[in-house]
Amino acid sequence: MRRISVFGATGSIGVNTLDLIGRDADAFQVVALTGGRNIDLLAHQARKFKAEIAVTAFDDQYDALKQALSGSGVKVAAGNAALADAAARHADWVMNAIIGAAGLKPGLRALEQGATLALANKESLVTAGALIKETAAKYGARILPVDSEHSAIFQALVGEDISAVERIIITASGGAFRDWPLKDLQKATLAQASSHPNWDMGQRITIDSASMFNKAMEVIETNEYFDISPDQIEVIIHRQSLIHALVGFNDGAIMAHIGPSDMRHAIGYALNWPDRRHVPVERLDFAAIGKLEFATPDDARYPALALARQVMAEGGLTGAVFNAAKEAALDAFIDGRIGFTQMAQVVEKVMGQGCDKVTMTLDNIVQTDHMTRIRAFEIIKAGL
């Protein structure tokens, strides 16, 4: 029986992970489940899967979670330190679906236990790619990608020599505003940015899709995860979101990974790896699909992509600066303090202030994250 932990259990990735685990419950023992403020769902999941411990990231939610799990035998904890402690519990396989930089420390703790880390937290490789990989190597742990794009690349490379790869092409839906006139983007509302044309995701990642910040992060992740040169990584708009990535080889061949817009496919691949097992996703009818469309992303519409190139060129802790500024700008947009197009402007200005050239350690990353958010706040407060 495999011991499983799910960090970010109440989000869309976590819910889909537990959906798959629940279909073969006898094969898994759930160790830790973590969430945020959706205490009712977290408690329901902990009871259903008989988790050893349930953790909420927020200290002020401890009493509510304790009460909801009263009599269940499930241990309860709260706060960031508790998240890290839960990740240090022995597990064979850990899903890290925590959103934001908060997912970095639990992921590192899981790797230090030698666990297989199913990584859906984009920020880990963006802010600390070298540290994540070094930790995995030191403790004999393995990282499996869960983003649909990186799972697609990973699958296309099975049995292949990475040195034979000429290019990796990541697809993007284009988000909610792909057909909007450029002049109208600055007037885009929170509600409009929170509606994705193809995927059913949480609010923050849906907005990141509209701005293409999620794709910018995926470009950086591709560079880190597959150790491929930045100039070999391409992004293309693919409206149908059926081809998740393509890998081009030195003989001119291109392998495309095609599947439905359902995250359970990538989750299931990571959960069952190295085997393939049944996953209850739609089977594609290509005659009904009819056609697949592609287009080059507009730099003016998606300035985040150029910022990703800057991160890869500068290296070091620039990724931590990029991510913290992006998260601060996203918070400001959600709170109504800045407009949609101003998010990229905030990140560009913060990155323009430079980055300390220090060793990549967890403490330095945390400090950089903290200071960057302060700088972003000051820029936003000053009205850009």
Side-chain angles (χ1 to χ4, degrees), residues 178-300:
R178 62 192 180 193
D179 298 320
W180 279 40
L182 279 174
K183 61 181 178 61
D184 292 342
L185 288 181
Q186 60 184 356
K187 298 181 291 185
T189 68
L190 176 61
Q192 290 167 330
S194 301
S195 177
H196 196 282
N198 298 346
W199 295 88
D200 180 16
M201 305 182 293
Q203 183 187 52
R204 296 180 72 86
I205 193 170
T206 301
I207 298 170
D208 278 350
S209 176
S211 65
M212 204 77 93
F213 265 110
N214 73 319
K215 206 57 52 178
M217 296 179 75
E218 288 166 10
V219 168
I220 300 168
E221 286 181 277
T222 300
N223 173 234
E224 291 287 350
Y225 193 93
F226 300 102
D227 291 321
I228 190 166
S229 172
D231 60 12
Q232 293 176 282
I233 305 169
E234 306 170 28
V235 176
I236 193 166
I237 302 293
H238 170 47
R239 301 176 69 90
Q240 290 82 11
S241 294
L242 296 177
I243 297 179
H244 304 298
L246 307 97
V247 177
F249 296 90
N250 56 12
D251 61 356
I254 293 180
M255 290 192 183
H257 178 281
I258 306 174
S261 302
D262 189 327
M263 283 304 301
R264 288 180 299 176
H265 181 272
I267 295 167
Y269 187 81
L271 180 64
N272 297 315
W273 184 89
D275 300 324
R276 284 190 184 271
R277 296 182 183 174
H278 174 80
V279 175
V281 299
E282 174 191 3
R283 271 46 179 173
L284 298 180
D285 181 342
F286 285 93
I289 292 167
K291 63 179 180 180
L292 301 174
E293 300 171 282
F294 306 94
T296 301
D298 182 354
D299 291 341

Side-chain angles (χ1 to χ4, degrees), residues 2-7 13 16-18 20-21 28-32 89-96 110 114-119 142-146 266-273:
R2 295 168 68 199
R3 288 172 60 83
I4 301 285
S5 290
V6 181
F7 288 76
I13 297 293
N16 280 316
T17 300
L18 290 173
L20 295 178
I21 289 173
F28 304 105
Q29 178 181 348
V30 175
V31 178
R89 286 176 172 250
H90 168 65
D92 302 302
W93 188 93
V94 176
M95 167 61 77
N96 185 357
T116 293
L117 180 65
L119 190 58
R142 178 176 292 276
I143 305 170
L144 295 176
V146 176
I267 295 167
Y269 187 81
L271 180 64
N272 297 315
W273 184 89

Side-chain angles (χ1 to χ4, degrees), residues 321 350-351 353-354 371-380:
V321 173
V350 173
M351 289 181 64
Q353 296 179 3
M371 296 306 299
T372 299
R373 290 172 193 270
I374 292 174
R375 288 154 58 190
F377 174 80
E378 291 171 348
I379 288 172
I380 292 166

